[in-house]
Amino acid sequence: MTSLEKPEIGTTTVRYRMPSVHPEGRKFAVIAGAIALLFFWVLDWDWLGWISVGLTLWVCAFFRDPIRTTPKGEGLIVSPADGMVTMIADVPAPRELIGADGLGETDTFIRVSIFMSVFDVHINRAPIAGMIRKVAYIPGKFLNADLDKASEDNERQHILVEAQDGTRIGFTQIAGLVARRIVPWVKPGDIVTVGQRVGLIRFGSRVDVYLPQGTAPKVVLGQRMIAGETIVAKLGENVAAEGVSQ
């Protein structure tokens, strides 16, 4: 293409698609709907019936599973979760993720914490493409996931992904104050693509991403994240993003 030529731009448009309800949540929606019918038709308690209808709609919204468009590019690390960036800190990696079979012996990593409220999509996605090297579940407490100590005290699950070039990215699903179950959809040895669904956390929680040394976050505190779409960082780029709340 010469300097006078213009790149071709496609004319295809994209229409909005109503998110489906993930199978993991359909049973909860059916239960809530059945309770609503019970209140309306059997007990004749309309006010409780309408409350149950609202609960049914909320359950469907909570377990919504929207289609995401994942950006392509060398070295991109995308967000594994919807939510807000509430912490960016230089911290040691969890002991379950250190060592030769983990993230290595590096002293500290930049941890980007994404808080998911009960209104966010709770399906988590792979931040990079590669092989699942480790899935480590640790039982624990159910403190507010927005607290820093939740990364060490709460029920959590660590997942380690290794790219074809040997780069390893670890991320942690953390149960929160309301969350009571972390549901994995992958196991060691599985091959995942970037942005692929890997699990969910029910009812409010947090996901931590550990960036390798020499890689700075391209997101800022307070930024809204979209799982499988928002670029958290680019491997080897050590210039952190800056932003302003407004």
Side-chain angles (χ1 to χ4, degrees):
M1 183 176 70
T2 68
S3 59
L4 297 178
E5 293 177 335
K6 295 183 179 180
E8 292 185 3
I9 299 176
T11 57
T12 302
T13 60
V14 177
R15 295 180 180 272
Y16 175 78
R17 288 175 287 186
M18 182 69 70
S20 62
V21 178
H22 192 273
E24 183 69 28
R26 291 173 189 170
K27 55 188 174 183
F28 295 103
V30 169
I31 292 171
I35 292 173
L37 291 177
L38 176 67
F39 285 140
F40 275 126
W41 292 344
V42 179
L43 300 177
D44 199 24
W45 293 348
D46 287 0
W47 65 278
L48 282 176
W50 286 115
I51 291 175
S52 298
V53 168
L55 178 62
T56 303
L57 295 175
W58 179 80
V59 169
C60 291
F62 179 88
F63 285 102
R64 65 194 184 277
D65 184 14
I67 299 296
R68 295 288 164 79
T69 302
T70 303
K72 292 183 177 181
E74 192 71 27
L76 296 183
I77 302 172
V78 303
S79 178
D82 282 30
M84 178 186 293
V85 177
T86 55
M87 286 180 279
I88 298 176
D90 196 17
V91 299
R95 58 181 177 273
E96 295 84 6
L97 290 179
I98 61 176
D101 63 341
L103 294 173
E105 301 294 345
T106 306
D107 290 336
T108 61
F109 296 80
I110 294 180
R111 185 187 70 198
V112 178
S113 298
I114 304 164
F115 178 76
M116 297 181 287
S117 75
V118 294
F119 301 105
D120 288 310
V121 174
H122 275 59
I123 292 173
N124 300 144
R125 296 173 180 257
I128 62 171
M131 177 180 289
I132 302 294
R133 287 296 185 187
K134 180 179 289 188
V135 178
Y137 170 80
I138 298 94
K141 301 176 182 178
F142 297 98
L143 303 175
N144 186 345
D146 212 14
L147 299 175
D148 186 39
K149 62 181 180 179
S151 61
E152 298 179 356
D153 294 344
N154 278 26
E155 175 181 324
R156 57 202 180 277
Q157 180 166 260
H158 305 293
I159 300 178
L160 184 70
V161 188
E162 182 177 353
Q164 285 187 337
D165 63 1
T167 300
R168 293 181 175 181
I169 299 294
F171 62 102
T172 304
Q173 299 169 290
I174 303 172
L177 188 65
V178 182
R180 285 298 182 270
R181 190 182 176 195
I182 299 172
V183 183
W185 297 333
V186 292
K187 62 184 183 302
D190 287 352
I191 303 297
V192 296
T193 58
V194 59
Q196 179 178 326
R197 300 165 180 81
V198 295
L200 67 80
I201 317 173
R202 291 180 186 166
F203 307 122
S205 41
R206 189 176 110 199
V207 173
D208 291 342
V209 188
Y210 293 88
L211 304 180
Q213 286 292 327
T215 298
K218 297 299 183 185
V219 296
V220 294
L221 291 174
Q223 183 175 339
R224 296 290 305 176
M225 310 291 281
I226 301 177
E229 293 190 357
T230 305
I231 297 173
V232 176
K234 186 172 183 179
L235 290 171
E237 292 194 0
N238 200 24
V239 179
E242 297 181 358
V244 59
S245 297
Q246 54 187 345

